[in-house]
């Protein structure tokens, strides 16, 4: 079976890109597909070895702008484990609160992007407007909308005041009401269901076999969540549910993410109400003693894994990052094969890839003719919206009424 | 600590040469070192018998004369095993684990691209993560490699 | 002369943008998209996000240029019709940012194509994006 290649290509049809996206079609359906990645490779792991732990913190935060806190916390936890530091409880709670806020912003972002891919721009605008509520809260708590830099080795940089607690709780109330509405739409809007159901199927066995992570795995019934299985920070003290779903398709992934939003609201409320007193940081050495640690974190996209080896100096010996999206790329071939070409945008969007969606090109090869067609992402997106319009699913007709 | 002890006991029973090389470093973390000739057997056993069916990632390191490979595998109780194996730089060959963990392709390509390892059994395919026009023989993650090596090349092209 | 003025006016009143990510962490790209959403609403300035470089006046770029995206960036720049302007969004696009010196990146956007405006920030706030683009448009007005 082929592997999938995702391209980043120019839009000119005549230019033969070593296409990163190869789809072999039979009629309207995809018979085989091919993937190649790597265009975002910047050499972060090597750079980490040449910078101090403190400088690495800022670098690693910028591996991904959407789950920056996840990467930062995961890395810091590994470093703290090697240095055998006792991170104060209050700091752990603050990290969790920021982490859950990040999950909220990420899932709302995804909801908008997925809606955009199927032509449902109204939902895109609404969900991103709601996302601004979260961005404001994060800016209030940390000083920046993105890349919060709330962590330091041994704790957090900023505390949460009583006033800020009130603001966060108010924001969570507003968001919860809006999310409930979105969940309603997902379950009841026929157009939406028509676009998302039975699309991008990934069976339970395949999800396990290819090592899918996060909401993608949970939507195929795989009951896996690092927060519950391998608790980090103080997740073992907070009651929450792991959301799984049996749809095994894009609809399932949407439902899982929407319901996870509700769980995040619960976690934030609990954490704020039970925020332990105490310091927010502990003294940490500049030189980390020799040792190694592997830490895992449930980022919005799935399990994030960091391995750090220290050698007694103020620079790490080795830092290895496995971002969650990489775990999901292996399953993409399975999801695409047998499906319609028109489903490609939403299926790829549904694994919530942490790469920019602006410039991707697709090389379509028809097995019976010598023809080759280079399609760019926007054309594919338009093609898919038109394809489904002809089948009676026009997302532009969906009326949303929300305050 | 119950489960970690059972797992360690099962491993030592099946692979007595692991004696002294298998350590429980903390709750839910086990580290062990195995010879590369027994790697596949051990991973197979861990996956099928001990239910460590999640491959988190594979870390490759430059440890001087050797290359070290650490396979981080987990089970659904959240226990992670760090299985270490070495291969000399003069013969940096290891077997693919694709037969046990289907999602390993990208991790193994990374070892080939960034460290110059040779993964036997890995099917032909595109580079990952380096670009196609990356010069041969340049392995960024090796300790003796400097970013200046490639920046020099880039400057020459301009 | 009059034609020039009219064309210039049309261009300033409704610049069309193409957005390209040259290997960024996505934070700047998300903020660029966020500036299209109701709160910041770039479209009220007549700014439209297009999908192809051939329709665009302004190339909005984020990210330190990774080796794989270098060629694509050049190609996209060449496909745009004159007069064209490039806006480097974010500290990485301005100078390489935190990734300066990494082997996978070649540095700021200006190491590859000429840049008309630099908007620093990590990531850039949507207000700053609007400010930068408006400043660029104002400078065109004076031409």
């Amino acid at each position: 079976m082929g592997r999938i290649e995702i391209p980043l290509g120019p839009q000119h049809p005549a230019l033969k890109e070593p296409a990163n996206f190869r789809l072999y079609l039979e009629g309207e359906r995809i018979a085989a597909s091919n993937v190649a990645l790597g265009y975002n490779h910047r050499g972060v792991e090597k750079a980490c070895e040449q910078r101090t732990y403190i400088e690495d913190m800022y670098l690693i935060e910028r591996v991904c702008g959407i789950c920056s806190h996840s990467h930062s916390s995961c890395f810091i936890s590994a470093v703290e484990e090697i240095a055998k530091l006792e991170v104060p409880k209050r700091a752990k709670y603050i990290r969790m609160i920021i982490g859950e806020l990040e999950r909220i912003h990420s899932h709302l972002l995804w909801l908008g992007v997925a809606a955009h891919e199927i032509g449902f721009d109204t939902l895109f605008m609404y969900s991103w407007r709601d996302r601004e509520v979260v961005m404001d809260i994060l800016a209030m708590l940390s000083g920046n909308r993105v890349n919060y830099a709330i962590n330091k080795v041994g704790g957090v940089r900023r505390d949460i005041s009583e006033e800020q607690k009130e603001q966060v709780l108010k924001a969570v109330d507003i968001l919860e009401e809006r999310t409930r509405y979105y969940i309603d739409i997902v379950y009841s809007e026929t157009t939406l269901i028509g676009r998302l159901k039975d699309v991008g199927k990934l069976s339970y066995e395949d999800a396990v076999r290819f090592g899918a992570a996060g909401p993608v795995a949970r939507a195929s019934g795989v009951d896996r969540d690092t927060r519950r299985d391998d608790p980090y920070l103080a997740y073992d003290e907070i009651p929450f549910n792991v959301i799984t779903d049996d749809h095994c398709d894009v609809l399932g992934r949407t439902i899982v993410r929407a319901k996870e939003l509700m769980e995040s609201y619960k976690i934030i409320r609990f954490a704020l109400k039970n925020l332990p007193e105490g310091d927010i940081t502990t003294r940490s050495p500049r030189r980390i003693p020799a040792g190694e640690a592997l830490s895992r974190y449930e980022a919005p996209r799935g399990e994030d894994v960091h391995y750090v080896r220290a050698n007694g100096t103020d620079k790490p010996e080795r830092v290895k990052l496995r971002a969650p999206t990489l775990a999901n790329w292996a399953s993409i071939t399975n999801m695409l094969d047998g499906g319609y070409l028109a489903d490609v945008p939403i299926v790829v969007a549904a694994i919530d890839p942490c790469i920019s969606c602006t410039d991707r090109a697709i090389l379509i090869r028809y097995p019976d003719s010598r023809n080759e067609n280079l399609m760019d992402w926007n054309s594919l997106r338009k093609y898919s919206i038109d394809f489904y319009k002809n089948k009676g699913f026009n997302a532009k007709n969906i009326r949303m009424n929300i305050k | 600590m119950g489960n970690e002890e059972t797992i360690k006991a099962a491993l030592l029973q099946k692979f007595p040469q692991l004696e002294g090389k298998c350590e429980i470093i903390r709750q839910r973390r086990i580290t062990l070192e195995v010879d590369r000739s027994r790697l596949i057997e051990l991973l197979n056993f861990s996956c099928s018998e001990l239910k460590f069916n999640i491959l988190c990632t594979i870390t490759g390191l430059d440890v001087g004369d050797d290359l070290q490979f650490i396979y981080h595998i987990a089970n659904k109780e959240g226990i992670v095993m760090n299985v270490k194996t070495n291969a000399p730089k003069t013969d940096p060959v290891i077997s693919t684990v694709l037969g046990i963990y289907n999602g390993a392709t990208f991790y193994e390509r990374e070892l080939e691209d960034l460290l110059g390892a040779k993964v036997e059994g890995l099917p032909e395919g595109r580079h990952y993560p380096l670009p196609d026009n990356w010069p041969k023989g340049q392995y960024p993650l090796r300790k003796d490699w400097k970013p200046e090596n490639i920046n020099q090349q880039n400057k020459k092209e301009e | 002369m009059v034609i020039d003025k009219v064309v210039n006016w049309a261009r300033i009143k409704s610049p069309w943008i193409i957005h390209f990510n040259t290997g960024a962490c996505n934070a700047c790209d998300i903020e660029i998209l966020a500036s299209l959403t109701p709160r910041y609403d770039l479209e009220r300035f007549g700014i439209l996000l297009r999908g192809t470089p051939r329709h665009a006046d302004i190339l909005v770029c984020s990210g330190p240029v990774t080796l794989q995206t270098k060629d694509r960036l050049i190609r996209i720049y060449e496909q745009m019709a004159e007069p064209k302007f490039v806006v480097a969004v974010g500290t990485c696009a301005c100078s390489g940012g935190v990734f300066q010196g990494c082997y996978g990146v070649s540095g700021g956007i200006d190491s590859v194509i000429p840049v008309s405006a630099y908007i620093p920030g990590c990531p850039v706030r949507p207000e700053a994006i609007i400010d930068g683009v408006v400043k660029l448009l104002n400078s065109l007005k004076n031409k």
Side-chain angles (χ1 to χ4, degrees):
Chain A
M1 250 291 134
R3 288 157 304 131
I4 286 192
E5 287 190 64
I6 290 218
L8 172 71
Q11 288 97 338
H12 201 291
L15 281 163
K16 289 277 184 254
E17 264 303 309
N20 308 4
F21 215 156
R22 278 208 174 89
L23 301 174
Y24 299 87
L25 293 183
E26 260 158 36
E28 287 291 351
R29 294 213 175 245
I30 299 173
S33 40
N34 233 300
V35 113
L37 300 170
Y39 75 97
N40 232 8
H41 184 69
R42 288 155 289 182
V44 170
E45 289 176 9
K46 180 82 181 179
C48 281
E49 293 173 19
Q50 295 156 334
R51 293 161 202 228
T52 63
Y53 289 98
I54 299 178
E55 291 169 337
D56 283 340
M57 222 166 50
Y58 291 102
L59 179 61
I60 287 182
E61 243 197 343
R62 285 150 177 83
V63 163
C64 171
I66 307 171
C67 28
S68 64
H69 180 80
S70 312
H71 284 297
S72 157
S73 298
C74 199
F75 174 69
I76 290 281
S77 300
V79 175
E80 286 161 353
E81 190 180 316
I82 300 175
K84 301 207 182 355
L85 294 178
E86 266 303 320
V87 178
K89 264 286 168 71
R90 193 177 173 90
K92 289 189 178 169
Y93 268 70
I94 294 178
R95 279 187 193 167
M96 281 196 303
I97 292 168
I98 302 274
E100 291 304 317
L101 283 169
E102 183 178 66
R103 193 182 315 276
I104 295 172
H105 114 77
S106 174
H107 284 344
L108 284 174
L109 185 150
W110 177 83
L111 203 57
V113 168
H116 177 68
E117 294 293 345
I118 63 177
F120 191 8
D121 277 333
T122 320
L123 180 56
F124 169 54
M125 292 294 167
Y126 270 112
S127 59
W128 278 51
R129 181 198 59 165
D130 293 344
R131 201 178 143 258
E132 291 298 325
V133 174
V134 182
M135 305 306 269
D136 281 344
I137 295 290
L138 283 165
M140 172 186 75
L141 291 176
S142 73
N144 197 359
R145 286 160 55 97
V146 188
N147 294 338
Y148 329 115
I150 198 84
N151 288 329
K152 50 195 277 238
V153 184
V156 293
R157 204 172 39 93
R158 277 197 182 194
D159 206 346
I160 303 185
S161 71
E162 287 305 314
E163 241 174 45
Q164 288 172 331
K165 262 195 222 176
E166 286 308 313
Q167 299 240 38
V168 179
L169 288 170
K170 251 192 246 157
V172 166
D173 285 335
I174 298 176
L175 287 171
E176 195 178 38
E177 191 195 313
R178 303 238 177 107
T179 308
R180 231 176 250 135
Y181 178 68
Y182 297 143
I183 296 183
D184 261 337
I185 306 184
V186 171
Y187 272 117
S188 59
E189 258 300 331
T190 24
T191 312
L192 216 51
I193 297 177
R195 284 302 306 261
L196 306 179
K197 198 161 174 4
D198 290 330
V199 164
K201 292 215 80 118
L202 182 71
S203 68
Y204 175 88
E205 291 76 29
D206 281 340
V208 172
R209 206 151 58 93
F210 291 105
V216 173
R218 291 196 279 278
S220 293
V222 180
D223 186 16
R224 206 179 276 170
D225 186 324
T226 317
R227 291 175 292 175
R228 179 205 53 200
D229 303 333
D230 189 1
Y232 51 94
L233 297 176
Y235 276 105
D236 46 0
E237 295 176 12
I238 303 197
F240 69 98
N241 298 320
V242 173
I243 308 286
T244 58
D245 189 80
D246 285 323
H247 281 97
C248 298
D249 57 17
V250 175
L251 183 63
R253 287 161 216 149
T254 315
I255 292 175
V256 168
R257 289 192 178 99
K259 288 191 175 163
E260 276 185 6
L261 282 170
M262 304 298 280
E263 290 302 311
S264 289
Y265 304 139
K266 266 199 250 165
I267 296 176
I268 293 180
R269 283 199 187 104
F270 186 96
L272 282 174
K273 288 207 179 78
N274 299 293
L275 195 59
E277 294 300 317
D279 290 326
I280 53 169
T281 183
T282 182
R283 290 206 59 181
S284 76
R286 265 210 334 154
R287 283 183 239 263
I288 305 290
E292 56 184 3
L294 177 92
S295 74
R296 297 157 88 195
Y297 188 103
E298 185 72 20
R301 278 161 193 73
E303 179 206 42
D304 188 15
V305 179
H306 284 225
Y307 170 80
V308 180
R309 183 176 282 191
N311 58 11
T313 63
D314 61 352
K315 300 193 170 67
E317 172 78 14
R318 175 86 169 94
V319 176
K320 172 90 177 88
L321 289 152
R322 200 290 310 266
T325 307
L326 192 56
N328 288 328
W329 278 131
S331 351
I332 256 243
T333 350
N334 263 66
M335 293 186 211
L336 286 182
D337 292 351
Y340 288 123
L341 174 64
D343 290 329
V344 173
I346 189 63
V347 171
V348 174
I351 70 167
D352 202 1
C354 210
I355 51 175
S356 170
C357 296
T358 44
D359 242 295
R360 284 186 246 152
I362 299 166
L363 183 68
I364 303 172
R365 206 169 270 147
Y366 297 91
D368 45 355
S369 72
R370 290 283 126 192
N371 266 333
E372 265 184 12
N373 236 339
L374 190 81
M375 230 190 187
D376 75 318
W377 191 260
N378 264 303
S379 315
L380 182 64
R381 187 181 147 263
K382 284 201 183 77
Y383 167 84
S384 86
I385 294 173
D386 287 335
F387 180 86
Y388 275 97
K389 229 189 262 183
N390 291 338
K391 290 188 161 212
F393 297 110
N394 190 350
K396 284 205 162 48
N397 291 336
I398 305 180
R399 294 264 156 269
M400 287 194 49
N401 52 26
I402 192 174
K403 282 191 286 298
Chain B
M1 276 289 193
N3 273 332
E4 289 89 332
E5 294 289 348
T6 340
I7 293 169
K8 179 174 173 181
L11 282 168
L12 287 174
Q13 195 194 36
K14 174 94 176 156
F15 300 95
Q17 67 271 51
L18 286 179
E19 189 61 54
K21 301 221 175 97
C22 178
E23 223 190 301
I24 300 179
I25 43 185
R26 69 150 169 101
Q27 201 184 26
R28 296 190 300 272
R29 296 287 186 269
I30 304 175
T31 300
L32 49 105
E33 284 172 41
V34 69
D35 197 79
R36 64 174 159 160
S37 55
R38 308 294 304 264
L39 175 71
I40 298 297
E41 205 189 323
L42 181 94
L43 288 177
N44 232 331
F45 177 72
S46 309
C47 185
S48 46
E49 303 297 320
L50 301 178
K51 306 290 175 217
F52 275 78
N53 58 357
I54 306 172
L55 175 66
C56 293
T57 192
I58 307 174
T59 301
L61 302 129
D62 180 341
V63 290
D65 293 323
D66 286 356
L67 291 179
Q68 187 172 81
F69 307 100
I70 314 181
Y71 294 78
H72 307 279
I73 52 180
N75 68 3
K76 66 178 185 1
E77 266 100 50
I79 304 179
V80 182
M81 278 213 283
N82 302 315
V83 181
K84 297 187 190 175
T85 189
N86 280 25
K89 276 186 185 165
T90 47
D91 175 37
V93 182
I94 41 163
S95 267
T96 180
V97 299
L98 273 177
I100 315 171
Y101 299 106
N102 290 77
T105 319
F106 285 119
Y107 310 142
E108 291 185 333
R109 288 221 189 284
E110 223 180 318
L111 297 176
E112 290 197 331
D113 258 14
L114 299 180
L115 277 174
K118 182 80 191 77
V119 183
E120 241 163 28
L122 187 61
E124 279 300 307
R126 290 277 303 278
H127 278 291
Y128 175 80
L130 295 174
D132 290 326
N133 57 1
W134 187 269
K136 277 192 160 28
Q138 302 259 10
Y139 305 119
L141 272 177
R142 292 219 180 170
K143 288 294 178 183
D144 53 6
W145 191 90
K146 301 229 174 338
E148 288 83 68
N149 295 18
I150 202 73
N151 286 339
Q152 291 287 3
Q153 297 251 131
N154 275 347
K155 286 206 161 51
K156 278 198 211 126
E157 280 168 13
E158 272 155 37
Chain C
M1 278 310 288
V2 179
I3 291 286
D4 280 345
K5 280 217 166 96
V6 170
V7 169
N8 217 23
W9 168 87
R11 208 166 268 134
I12 298 171
K13 286 297 175 186
S14 178
W16 286 8
I17 294 188
I18 177 171
H19 165 225
F20 186 56
N21 169 355
T22 66
C25 71
N26 289 318
C28 288
D29 306 298
I30 302 297
E31 295 293 66
I32 292 172
L33 278 184
S35 34
L36 294 169
T37 56
R39 189 187 201 174
Y40 300 103
D41 203 8
L42 262 186
E43 289 187 14
R44 64 193 147 119
F45 296 115
I47 295 174
L48 218 56
L49 194 65
R50 302 306 297 170
T52 150
R54 297 193 184 278
H55 295 168
D57 302 301
I58 307 183
L59 172 60
V60 174
C61 250
S62 62
V65 186
T66 59
L67 297 174
Q68 290 94 321
T69 56
K70 199 162 159 183
D71 288 333
R72 286 138 181 106
L73 179 62
I74 296 176
R75 265 190 230 132
I76 289 185
Y77 182 69
E78 288 170 354
Q79 281 175 41
M80 286 169 71
E82 293 280 351
K84 50 193 173 186
F85 308 95
V86 178
V87 178
V89 171
T91 311
C92 291
C94 295
S95 67
V98 278
F99 301 105
Q100 247 177 30
C102 287
Y103 66 79
V105 311
S106 84
I109 306 279
D110 57 8
S111 65
V112 181
I113 53 177
V115 174
S116 328
Y118 297 87
I119 310 181
C122 192
V124 193
R125 294 186 63 98
E127 292 97 325
I129 296 174
I130 299 178
D131 186 49
V133 172
V134 169
K135 276 208 173 94
L136 176 66
L137 296 178
N138 280 339
S139 75
L140 295 180
K141 233 196 270 173
N142 299 333
K143 282 226 170 88

